[in-house]
Amino acid sequence: MTASTTMTIRVSAETKQKLERIAADTRRSKSFLAAEAVSDYVDRELEIIDGIKRGLADAKAGRLVSHDEAMLEIDAIIEAAEANRAGKA
């Protein structure tokens, strides 16, 4: 079991009521649900920040794709998906 620590946060009365509803419906504690939500948020935000940092490093190193090249690739992916969907319909 990992070590844990206590943290106090402020939320609106509406958010607290919603959390209480989820806790009752899922038979989980508010603390458990809040900890899960914070953990998921932190993981997601760190992924975004790390991605931005990688992108900035790529740009600084000159590893770039032009807008036109990116749009051609995106359009090809969309066309392939639409063709695949039409074939399955």
Side-chain angles (χ1 to χ4, degrees):
M1 182 173 193
T2 60
S4 64
T5 186
T6 302
M7 187 170 86
T8 303
I9 62 169
R10 291 188 180 276
V11 296
S12 69
E14 180 183 2
T15 297
K16 183 181 177 190
Q17 288 173 342
K18 289 177 182 179
L19 183 60
E20 288 169 346
R21 180 175 159 205
I22 295 169
D25 289 346
T26 62
R27 297 184 181 169
R28 297 283 190 170
S29 70
K30 291 182 293 186
S31 293
F32 173 85
L33 295 172
E36 286 292 305
V38 170
S39 179
D40 290 348
Y41 170 81
V42 167
D43 290 345
R44 186 176 60 249
E45 291 298 307
L46 285 174
E47 281 185 37
I48 292 168
I49 290 167
D50 290 344
I52 291 168
K53 286 180 177 180
R54 284 191 307 274
L56 291 171
D58 284 343
K60 187 174 183 180
R63 294 184 296 266
L64 303 171
V65 175
S66 74
H67 175 76
D68 291 338
E69 288 177 81
M71 292 308 299
L72 284 172
E73 186 174 339
I74 290 169
D75 289 340
I77 291 168
I78 292 170
E79 286 178 26
E82 288 174 345
N84 187 35
R85 186 175 17 179
K88 291 183 178 181

